[in-house]
Structures are given as structure tokens and as C-alpha cells.
Amino acid sequence: MSRLSLSRIAAVMVKEFTQLRRDRITYAMILVMPLVQLLLFGYAINTDPRHLPAAVVSYDHSNIANDLVATLQNSSYVDVTHQPNSEAEMDRLMRRGSISLALTIPPDFTHHLLKGERAQILAEVDASDPVAAGGVSAAVAALPAQALKHDLLGPAARQGGKPPFEVVIHRLYNPEGINAYNIVPGLLAIILSMTLVMMTAMAVTREVERGTMESLLATPATPFEVMIGKLLPYIAVGIVQTTVVLTLARLLFAVPMAQTAAGWLALASGIVLFITCNLSLGYLISTLVRSQLQAMQVSVFYIMPSLFLSGFMFPFLGLPGWARAIGEVLPVTHFLRIIRGALLKGQVLADMSPDILALAAFLLVVATVTVARSRTTLD
Amino acid sequence: MTNAIDVRGLNKSFGDKHVVRDVSIQVGEGRITGFLGPNGAGKTTTLRLLCGLLTPDSGEGEVLGLDFRTQTAAIKRQTGYMTQSFSLYQDMTIEENLTFIARVYGLENRQQVVNQALDELGLQDRRGQLAGALSGGWKQRLALAAATLHGPRLLLLDEPTAGVDPQARREFWDEIHALADRGLTVLVSTHYMDEAERCHDIGYILNGRLIARGTAEEIIARSGLVTFNGEGPDVGKISHALEAQPGVLGASAFGTAVHVSGTDKSALEQAIAPWRKAPYEWEQVEPSLEDVFIQLMADQVDDRYAS
């Protein structure tokens, strides 16, 4: 065995650096990726989500009821963003996931309160995401102790230290707050994204790297035919993955499934659309990069915000506005709403139309750019 | 005789590199035309332009009677193209590769075509083997079978025998001639002189220009080259010394002989005079293609080495 040679180690080291410098995209990824991620996620992620949107329907127009709403507004956990005219309207907002809390103040609330009788308000909390629901529940539970300190004098204030009214909290969609109900369907979105984007991102670069693209382009096959032919098998892969994940979700984690045929139809449409979105995105990546390694790097770069800014790891409504804007562009965000809606909220196609449309728009844009970028020649 | 390829004024640049310059080429139907020239001279680019893999900056003409700029799809259907590196799917079997090609070209009686190709290749019993596991020579034969599976009228081969042993090269060329006998037009790029001599005619490309065209005999005759062959000891040293002499365009040692060429016979005789004595034996010989190409390269400054 020869002696350890520092100059040989240095030779290899210098060669590695030289090659690293040549590979511009890798170089940029190594430097830019941590920077972007640090800034993006550092500012966006908040494990204790605040300012979640809430809706209030108040049938009681007294000052006391108004003060109650004002106190809630001040809690920093929720922002009263909607004051719908009816409970039906509020239910719709809740089902669509536009609000995390729906507060109903009954018409005789002030009346009961002033008489020192049992006054109640109803707080419905979207518990499909237990993390988000926790903060909201705590905020509304604290209401009786904090609110109305200045308004109540006389008998209503003196009830032997007992709070002047009570909040009835209904935890909707996931009343027991089981984390798996939220995480497992979310994992399906992540699994599909990771595997499908990566696999198709390498589909074209692999042919270019191995030199088979030149032969393929010399045949009568058009770029569009090549693209469709390359993507179809992966739709099947995606459907198999979905079936496996949903089966295990049911068997191992007892995650609820869609209840009706309309629910299943909505879920199936969302899944096929989401799979197609991922595939076309992967294909677009493969037309942009030069090597399989770069395809991997770009895929990873895409997956990170899909984890953090989509509502998978952290409640979407708790993210800052700019982070939500980024999240709205990501297919995972919309698919999370679709699958959680179908499994936990009993949504049908009509309820999820904004997200279905968003996915369709994403698909249209990405597919158009991809076809435009696909090469008929080696130019 | 009709021309299978008839293009004029072909130009192609990549950035500021002008790779193909004003190339005009005609190839008669059923002819085997060899494309020679140093690496980077523009051979591959010209082949790619002809089969529609690259878009020319300028140029016009017909390939197989079709406008080669606008009717690329129709040309592709009747053209077989074999790339420089093995470009079938290494992780698919021989049969799967052939079946894929048959499908892409939309061949009817697919199974029959593939079976026939396997029979002709003699790979019937190895049909299930991965293409990547084949040796170099077999890979080239398989690639040729794949390129001709759809019965093309034109075959473009880009250095098909690079790195293949002489026996396999010979068999490969026998096959090319058999195809040409059936009326196929072949344009093949190569670096091997023996292969150039097996072509019906030759085109020599340098710095993107087609600078010589014709049969081997025509090119040799047109060169006006005079070549002397000297046998004796220390031919290596002599060839070096000769190269520096005026009137000598090229001098190379071949075993115990030295080949020296120039266009001026008297200048050449003057140059070899110091060694024109025993034990050396000199005679004037017919210049070889290689001598001519060395002269052609000497005539023109090779851009690739120019500063």
C-alpha cells in the first residue's frame, strides 16, 4: 500500500471544485437554494398560527354583542373577516375552508345575559387541521373571561365569579382532533408530487443523456406524441400509488373516506387532475434542464414550498399573505383542499370548483409552455 | 440517374461558429457516398441537416424528391439514421428495441418485420438479451437493422464503425453494399481510408466546406499529386527531414517505407536526392487517398487549429 499522499488528495479536490464550478445550475442551486429557502420559510412558517379568518353571524344587535365581536377581533388568534347575512352562507364559507371559525350569537343573547340567565354563543371550529383548531378553540374559550368586563354591572356581573356566558364549541369535520385525518390525506399529495414530478423530470433528460433522443427525433414521432406517450404510463403509476395510500389510510389510520358517489367522483376528478398537473410540471422541468442531476435538484427545489406553503405542514390560513399567494400557485395547495374536503367535509364537485379550476388553469399553462418548448430538432 | 440528395448552399452556424458553409451535394440513387474529413469539420452537422434533425440557416434543395426544409416529416419516414453513439435503449431487449422502432414507424405486420430482421441479424436466439449487453460490433449491426427496419430509401450513417474490430467492420460494409444493391442510397461518414475506398464516391469536408467530391480515382487524379515511396532504414527520421524540404506537402513513415508527396515532381526529386542511394530504393507510386487528403488539409488552414 502506498503512503497517503496529500498532493493526490489535493489533485482530486481541485478537480472536484473545477467541475463544480463548470456545472452552473448545480452551483447556483447550492448557493441560491439555501438562501431562498431560509428567507422564504423563515418568514412564512409559524407553528402557532394567528389571525385565522372567522365569520360572525349575530342576531343580537346590542352593544354588548358588538363588544363581544370586538374582543374576539383583538385576540390576535382570529380576524373577523366575514359577517355573512345567514347561517347558511356561513356554513358554505366553512365547508369551503374560507374560515376557521364560525360564531353565532343568538337573538336573545343580551336578554339572557342581563337577566343573569344561561347565555350561550355557538362557536364552530374547523378541526380538520387540529393544529389550527387548537389556537382558535383556546381563543374562543377564553372569551367569557375577557369579554364584557366594562359592559356588565349589576346582577349580570356578579354571578359568584362564574363567567357571564358560555361558549358552546363544535369541532367540525374531525371532532376528536385526530392528526392522522389531516396528515395522511396530505401525505398522498406530497407522495404524488415527489415521485411524479421527479420521474417525469428525468424522462426527457435521460434520453438526451443516453443519446437516444437523437434517434427518437429522427423518427416520425412528433414532440407532442412523445410527450403524451411518456406521460400516460405515469398516470397509471399515480393511480396505483393513490389506491395504495388511500387503502392504507383507511386500514391503518381509519381515515374517513368519501361518503357518497358524488364525493368519490369529486375525489377521483381531483386526483386525476392533480396527477396530470404534476406530470406536466415534471415534463416542463425536463425540457429546461440539461442533466438528470439538475432535474433532481429542480424537483427538490419545487417540493420544499409544496411542503411548507401549501397547508400540508402548517395551517394555510395561518401563513402570511405573501406566502399564501405563493401557495395558491402550487398544485399541492389546491389538491390538499380537494382531498381534505372530499374525505373530511363531504364535499362534492360544486364545493371544490375553485380548486378544480385552479388545477385546470395550472395544467393548461404548464402544458402549453411544455409543448412550445418541446424540440423537434436538436438545434 | 436521379439524385436522392440534391441540396445547394447549405449553411449552419452555432453561435459564432460557422459549422457548415455553402455545402452543395448531390448523391445519386443507389450510390454509397463516403463523407470524410477531420473531427469537427462538419460531417455530423451536415448529416443532421439532411435528415431534419437540425434546421439550416440557409440552403435549398430536395432529399428523396421532397423539399428538405419543409417536408421533413415525409423525409423522416423514408430515411434511416444511425447516430455516432449507440442510441437504442440499452435497458431494453433486442426484440423490444426493434418492436419499438416498428411501432414508431407504424409498420404493418410488425411481428413479421421484427422476426425477419432478427433472422437476418442471426440474433433470433438472443432476442431476449438486453441491447446494452451486446458487444460493439453486434450493437452496430443491431443499430443498422433498426435504422433499416422501416425500409427507408435513404440511409444516413454517422461514423457507424468507430471502435469496431476489422472483421465486424468488413461484415458491416458487406451489408451496406447489399442494401445499396437493392437501391438504397447511403451517405456514410467515416475516418477509415479503407472504408472510403469501399464507397462509390467520396466527399471531403474541411472547415465546413465540401472541398473535394467524386470517385476515389477522380479525386486522386484531380489532385495532380506525385508520390514517391522509399524503402530502407530509419524511415521515421527521413520522413521528418523530408517534411521540412520545399516542395514536400506530406511525408509519412509506413513501417519500413516512407511516403512523400508533392505537386511539383522535380522539387520532390530534389528533396529526396540526398537519400536516393543504397540501401534506399525509391519508386514513383500512385498516390493514395490518404496522401491526397493530407495535401488537401495542407492547402487550407484548418480553422480548428488557427488562432
Side-chain angles (χ1 to χ4, degrees):
Chain A
M1 209 183 94
S2 70
R3 214 158 42 86
L4 189 70
S5 155
L6 283 181
S7 75
R8 286 196 292 262
I9 292 174
V12 174
M13 191 183 78
V14 170
K15 175 200 77 92
E16 287 298 318
F17 266 121
T18 310
Q19 289 177 316
L20 195 62
R21 244 188 19 238
R22 286 291 129 71
D23 190 353
R24 289 280 170 78
I25 293 196
T26 304
Y27 196 44
M29 283 284 183
I30 291 169
L31 293 178
V32 175
M33 214 156 85
L35 198 72
V36 171
Q37 286 170 348
L38 193 73
L39 294 177
L40 205 58
F41 305 138
Y43 284 114
I45 292 171
N46 183 359
T47 52
D48 182 21
R50 283 162 192 270
H51 301 290
L52 295 170
V56 177
V57 170
S58 179
Y59 297 106
D60 185 336
H61 302 289
S62 69
N63 286 338
I64 290 179
N66 291 344
D67 281 359
L68 188 69
V69 174
T71 311
L72 186 68
Q73 184 78 286
N74 289 335
S75 77
S76 92
Y77 273 101
V78 290
D79 288 345
V80 178
T81 53
H82 298 76
Q83 298 214 328
N85 295 321
S86 66
E87 278 175 89
E89 169 75 13
M90 190 158 69
D91 284 349
R92 215 171 51 82
L93 288 170
M94 177 63 90
R95 246 155 78 96
R96 286 203 169 162
S98 309
I99 52 171
S100 300
L101 169 70
L103 204 67
T104 312
I105 304 176
D108 50 3
F109 174 70
T110 309
H111 178 75
H112 283 302
L113 187 76
L114 292 176
K115 285 176 101 180
E117 294 169 3
R118 233 167 67 103
Q120 287 184 327
I121 57 172
L122 173 65
E124 290 167 301
V125 179
D126 181 348
S128 58
D129 184 343
V131 177
V136 175
S137 302
V140 287
L143 265 183
Q146 289 167 356
L148 315 181
K149 277 180 193 150
H150 313 295
D151 295 290
L152 296 180
L153 301 162
R158 284 174 263 112
Q159 292 195 355
K162 276 205 294 183
F165 64 98
E166 62 179 304
V167 182
V168 179
I169 298 179
H170 280 183
R171 300 165 67 89
L172 301 178
Y173 311 129
N174 182 5
E176 291 155 83
I178 299 170
N179 254 314
Y181 288 8
N182 186 52
I183 293 295
V184 175
L187 275 172
L188 174 63
I190 299 302
I191 289 168
L192 287 177
S193 285
M194 285 221 287
T195 52
L196 296 180
V197 171
M198 224 175 258
M199 278 196 282
T200 43
M202 292 194 273
V204 173
T205 41
R206 193 189 303 121
E207 299 246 10
V208 174
E209 269 186 21
R210 294 189 185 172
T212 48
M213 188 48 101
E214 198 180 341
S215 289
L216 199 56
L217 287 178
T219 71
T222 68
F224 186 69
E225 289 164 351
V226 171
M227 180 175 90
I228 300 294
K230 274 182 171 290
L231 293 188
L232 282 176
Y234 292 108
I235 292 189
V237 170
I239 289 173
V240 170
Q241 284 182 317
T242 306
T243 312
V244 170
V245 171
L246 285 183
T247 307
L248 292 181
R250 181 79 205 132
L251 296 179
L252 300 181
F253 298 99
V255 173
M257 291 290 125
Q259 301 300 321
T260 59
W264 278 110
L265 175 71
L267 182 62
S269 321
I271 286 169
V272 171
L273 197 55
F274 179 62
I275 288 173
T276 320
C277 281
N278 282 315
L279 295 180
S280 44
L281 180 68
Y283 207 82
L284 177 63
I285 293 174
S286 77
T287 64
L288 295 170
V289 299
R290 292 219 199 96
S291 66
Q292 294 194 65
L293 178 66
Q294 291 177 354
M296 285 277 277
Q297 289 174 317
V298 176
S299 306
V300 170
F301 191 64
Y302 162 74
I303 290 298
M304 296 288 276
S306 294
L307 287 170
F308 296 137
L309 305 183
S310 65
F312 169 68
M313 274 207 193
F314 311 103
F316 185 77
L317 293 174
L319 297 173
W322 59 267
R324 287 206 303 274
I326 297 174
E328 290 287 354
V329 180
L330 303 169
V332 173
T333 308
H334 298 283
F335 182 66
L336 282 176
R337 291 184 199 146
I338 290 171
I339 189 163
R340 286 172 180 164
L343 299 189
L344 303 178
K345 300 183 182 179
Q347 284 187 349
V348 294
L349 270 176
D351 301 307
M352 49 178 80
S353 54
D355 295 306
I356 294 277
L357 286 177
L359 287 184
F362 180 90
L363 179 63
L364 190 70
V365 171
V366 171
T368 309
V369 177
T370 308
V371 171
R373 281 201 52 88
S374 295
R375 302 180 303 174
T376 343
T377 63
L378 290 168
D379 288 280
Chain B
M1 189 175 63
T2 48
N3 282 327
I5 297 176
D6 183 2
V7 292
R8 298 167 297 277
L10 214 52
N11 275 288
K12 179 71 183 176
S13 298
F14 296 108
D16 55 359
K17 281 175 73 183
H18 202 162
V19 183
V20 171
R21 305 174 193 228
D22 296 322
V23 168
S24 297
I25 190 166
Q26 286 78 39
V27 178
E29 237 169 50
R31 300 284 282 183
I32 301 173
T33 296
F35 227 20
L36 287 101
N39 289 322
K43 301 189 298 289
T44 300
T45 306
T46 307
L47 289 179
R48 286 176 173 174
L49 286 171
L50 290 175
C51 67
L53 274 177
L54 288 173
T55 321
D57 299 336
S58 67
E60 55 175 40
E62 288 89 44
V63 170
L64 299 173
L66 298 157
D67 187 321
F68 93 108
R69 300 197 67 154
T70 57
Q71 295 176 288
T72 45
I75 293 172
K76 278 180 182 180
R77 276 195 290 276
Q78 302 178 66
T79 303
Y81 175 55
M82 196 173 143
T83 56
Q84 209 163 347
S85 57
F86 182 66
S87 63
L88 293 175
Y89 296 94
Q90 314 236 7
D91 51 356
M92 277 167 48
T93 67
I94 294 163
E95 186 179 11
E96 283 162 353
N97 268 299
L98 292 173
T99 306
F100 169 69
I101 298 291
R103 278 177 188 273
V104 168
Y105 282 95
L107 302 187
E108 287 161 27
N109 50 28
R110 208 162 49 224
Q111 195 54 48
Q112 193 192 327
V113 171
V114 170
N115 262 322
Q116 197 185 332
L118 286 169
D119 279 335
E120 282 170 14
L121 279 168
L123 285 175
Q124 195 62 258
D125 49 332
R126 290 163 74 184
R127 62 201 296 163
Q129 216 173 65
L130 292 184
L134 289 172
S135 68
W138 279 108
K139 274 185 185 167
Q140 295 316 90
R141 291 192 61 191
L142 176 60
L144 181 63
T148 53
L149 198 66
H150 60 292
R153 288 169 57 204
L154 172 65
L155 194 55
L156 304 173
L157 309 172
D158 194 1
E159 288 180 35
T161 55
V164 171
D165 67 64
Q167 168 74 15
R169 283 210 290 137
R170 239 179 84 173
E171 285 169 12
F172 190 88
W173 273 88
D174 290 342
E175 181 63 26
I176 301 280
H177 271 276
L179 290 167
D181 290 343
R182 279 181 249 153
L184 207 71
T185 310
V186 182
L187 188 55
V188 51
S189 73
T190 179
H191 285 298
Y192 298 107
M193 291 304 144
D194 60 322
E195 292 188 348
E197 279 155 7
R198 290 197 70 173
C199 295
H200 293 134
D201 50 57
I202 295 165
Y204 188 83
I205 193 163
L206 183 67
N207 299 334
R209 290 182 198 283
L210 189 65
I211 57 171
R213 184 82 180 88
T215 63
E217 295 74 27
E218 282 167 358
I219 289 179
I220 291 169
R222 226 179 287 142
S223 69
L225 208 62
V226 180
T227 301
F228 280 93
N229 185 67
E231 297 224 16
D234 286 336
V235 288
K237 275 184 204 160
I238 295 172
S239 76
H240 263 293
L242 280 170
E243 265 183 340
Q245 300 291 321
V248 173
L249 284 172
S252 315
F254 293 90
T256 58
V258 59
H259 245 210
V260 51
S261 311
T263 42
D264 185 342
K265 189 175 174 185
S266 59
L268 210 56
E269 286 187 311
Q270 221 164 7
I272 62 172
W275 293 280
R276 228 170 171 178
K277 59 189 182 198
Y280 293 99
E281 279 177 34
W282 290 89
E283 59 174 328
Q284 188 177 347
V285 294
E286 179 82 348
S288 68
L289 262 183
E290 193 158 349
D291 296 321
V292 176
F293 291 149
I294 289 170
Q295 180 219 8
L296 287 173
M297 279 175 75
D299 275 0
Q300 311 218 356
V301 179
D302 192 336
D303 274 1
R304 295 171 307 136
Y305 305 116
S307 55

